[in-house]
Amino acid sequence: MTTYPTQMSYAPEEMDDAYRQFLLAYPGYADTARLDELRGTDYRRLDEQGQVYLDYTGGGLHGESQLDRHFAMLRSKVLGNPHSANPTSLAMTALVEETRRFVLDYFNAAENYIAVFTANASGALKHVGESYPFQPGGRYLLTFDNHNSVNGIREFARGRGADFMYVPLTTPDLRLDGARLEGLLDVIDPAYPHLFAFPAQSNFSGVKHPLEYVSLAQGKGWDVLLDVAAFVPTNRLDLSVVQPDFVTLSFYKMFGYPTGIGALLIHRRVFGKLHRPWFAGGTVNFASVQGQGHYLARNEAAFEDGTIDYLNIPAVKIGLEHLEAIGLDVIGERVRCLTGWLLTHLYGLRHGNGRPLTRIYGPIDTEMRGGTITLNLYGPDEKLLDYRRIEELANHANISLRTGCFCNPGAGEIAEGLTAEDMLYGLQNGADINLPRFVQIIQHRGNKSAGAIRVSVGLATNFSDVYRLMQFIAGFVDQTNLNIGEVTFDIEGCRTIRDGS
């Protein structure tokens, strides 16, 4: 008879001992103590409200000091719309351009890139999609592991007669298939423009894809679009070393506030390739109704439609300075330690009959991966536990996690074993199809999942947060009934754990 090791209980009174064991396994965590100080000041609202926030891939948390600095600026200055030459407009323009320069310097990109402020990473991606010169003979290559806003660019390619193809992922780690990628990169006609898009870090699995793919693709005649939205909150991106043609990001993912600003960084060597399909206020040097013509403004102004979010843009500089003051190496080390502990303990959870409780999608160690962990839970009968019920129960325990497909259907389809036939079967239901409906459909086609649970750690996460999560998830050992109020673990206990980490 097979025997399994005794499982940790994750009881509140045992957390101190668990923390000591954690520090022995991850001694580098002690070097991140600065973040514990900030947890008690800038992020004190988490403990004051008993909240466990584990959705950093969905959005970062702002520090109180960021708000203090930004509001002090707003209280002390008279600032107007920057599209003019009056005193308040000029003052605002100076702050916007100061922030633009700081963004470029932060990524070591001032020499080679133009920075366009957008509403978010999706807005930046749309700029590329609608302006890139897709045409018959050209190709758009993207990966199964991409955000839907990257997937959506295929519609621009399709509409202009270009082909599009997907690079597959390997299982179970969900990394790009390097050999297949090289083969696809080789199949082009160099007379036409070709675009390759991939994420520096997956928002589904946390996998960090090799940045060496940028120069590999460029060496074979491709322009490269790098989505860094999930990467830059905890990693340094040096654009003097890695030089994709287009870089897209959202600042709220990095430091929580402001929430309505992203950026498109365009390498100067490809700026002239882009052709905007329209013009708007602020994007033209001259436009005529009677003459029916226009001339676009130069550089970033050609892409910043209408009035930019000028009062909030200076808060981007404040947020970047906040990260610099902490140190991305410190943030990255904390994320590595907490993620490693979570992966080990999640993977080790088993039912009384020895069957695993969790199925983790992606790497089960911290090698070339970030702080995003996606998983599903299975009962002792190996049947999928409904992630929507799990989220409801997490809500009752004041644990913020995320469920669904995370706007990354390709990675989810591969991770969860969904086939092209499965997906076409769902699409045949017409425009009324959505994820909840597809979940019902796919469950009738076998014990498959369409969607999962995602937890992600970040700047303000501490050991108490991940311990409380483990206590919550361990409560599903030997459970098959997920109705609220009928699961036999201690929700109140999950709410009340504290630690000094």
Side-chain angles (χ1 to χ4, degrees), residues 176-233:
L176 295 188
D177 186 331
R180 185 70 177 127
L181 170 62
E182 288 210 47
L184 290 170
L185 290 173
D186 285 335
V187 187
I188 62 168
D189 183 339
Y192 299 96
H194 310 282
L195 181 64
F196 170 47
F198 75 101
Q201 180 173 314
S202 174
N203 77 319
F204 182 92
S205 66
V207 164
K208 294 179 182 178
H209 298 299
L211 297 182
E212 291 81 5
Y213 289 154
V214 172
S215 58
L216 173 68
Q218 289 170 334
K220 295 176 180 289
W222 293 76
D223 297 319
V224 177
L225 165 58
L226 186 67
D227 173 13
V228 301
F231 180 79
V232 291

Side-chain angles (χ1 to χ4, degrees), residues 39-41 43-51 64 498:
R39 175 74 177 238
T41 55
Y43 303 95
R44 59 186 175 182
R45 61 191 184 277
L46 286 166
D47 293 321
E48 288 173 350
Q49 298 176 31
Q51 294 283 343
E64 289 184 25
R498 296 287 187 274

